[in-house]
Amino acid sequence: MRANWPCYALLAAVWLLACVRVLVDPVPRLPILFNVTRSLPYLVAVVDYRARGVARGDYVIFSFRGEAVRHVPGLRGQPFFKRVAGVAGDRVEVRGRAVLVNGVDAGLAKRYAVVSRVALEPIAATVIPAGYLYMQGMDADSFDSRYRLCGLVAERDVLAVVRPLF
């Protein structure tokens, strides 16, 4: 172990920088996004931090500020990559655990989170108010606006518009 101390020091430095990156400033700063989650079916996307105005169907990165931070404090400010499924004036309906936006299926709200086993309740039926968006992942396990703990996302929390490549 003493003979390989430079390798261990380099590895420790990499881990330290990774922790700082995730815990201090988790927002991606490069114009390319590599998606490693199943939330959306795209692996690589171009990030446009200058884009203004978000429309239904756009893919965005937003800074998480939902109620789930009470259960998982590490989520505060974490960047989420989702599709905008609802904008101001759209109607969110809940039928049992099925959530619809303007009558279009937005997914089934599961009873428990996959990772933490936190109980999940569907979002309340509402009309999306001005300044808010309904975010949707494409995977059944995606943590998105269909849950009260995520909720609607304020437009001010949108960090960038994302253009998927593949």
Side-chain angles (χ1 to χ4, degrees), residues 64-72 75-76 143 147-152:
F64 187 80
R65 304 215 191 287
E67 288 296 313
V69 297
R70 291 183 317 169
H71 301 284
V72 186
L75 284 177
R76 182 177 304 282
F143 185 61
Y147 301 106
R148 284 182 202 232
L149 287 176
C150 183
L152 299 175

Side-chain angles (χ1 to χ4, degrees), residues 9-166:
L10 179 62
L11 185 60
V14 167
W15 275 103
L16 178 66
L17 290 173
C19 288
V20 167
R21 168 78 171 90
V22 169
L23 299 174
V24 176
D25 183 23
V27 177
R29 301 290 178 194
L30 299 175
I32 296 290
L33 172 76
F34 298 96
N35 181 31
V36 294
T37 70
R38 295 183 310 164
S39 183
L40 291 172
Y42 303 104
L43 299 175
V44 180
V46 176
V47 181
D48 184 0
Y49 290 100
R50 295 171 290 136
R52 295 292 171 241
V54 178
R56 186 182 302 105
D58 284 349
Y59 293 94
V60 299
I61 298 172
F62 65 94
S63 181
F64 187 80
R65 304 215 191 287
E67 288 296 313
V69 297
R70 291 183 317 169
H71 301 284
V72 186
L75 284 177
R76 182 177 304 282
Q78 287 296 317
F80 275 40
F81 175 35
K82 306 283 182 200
R83 184 179 71 85
V84 178
V87 297
D90 287 353
R91 182 171 302 281
V92 177
E93 300 174 61
V94 180
R95 297 181 190 155
R97 296 194 75 81
V99 180
L100 299 101
V101 177
N102 291 336
V104 176
D105 181 30
L108 186 66
K110 294 188 168 205
R111 295 191 184 278
Y112 295 96
V114 174
V115 176
S116 64
R117 298 295 295 168
V118 170
L120 296 172
E121 291 298 320
I123 190 171
T126 187
V127 173
I128 301 173
Y132 286 86
L133 304 164
Y134 183 100
M135 298 296 182
Q136 180 182 14
M138 305 299 275
D139 188 74
D141 292 329
S142 195
F143 185 61
D144 54 27
S145 290
R146 72 187 118 162
Y147 301 106
R148 284 182 202 232
L149 287 176
C150 183
L152 299 175
V153 173
E155 285 182 9
R156 69 179 177 275
D157 292 337
V158 173
L159 304 170
V161 173
V162 178
R163 309 281 180 231
L165 293 178
F166 57 89

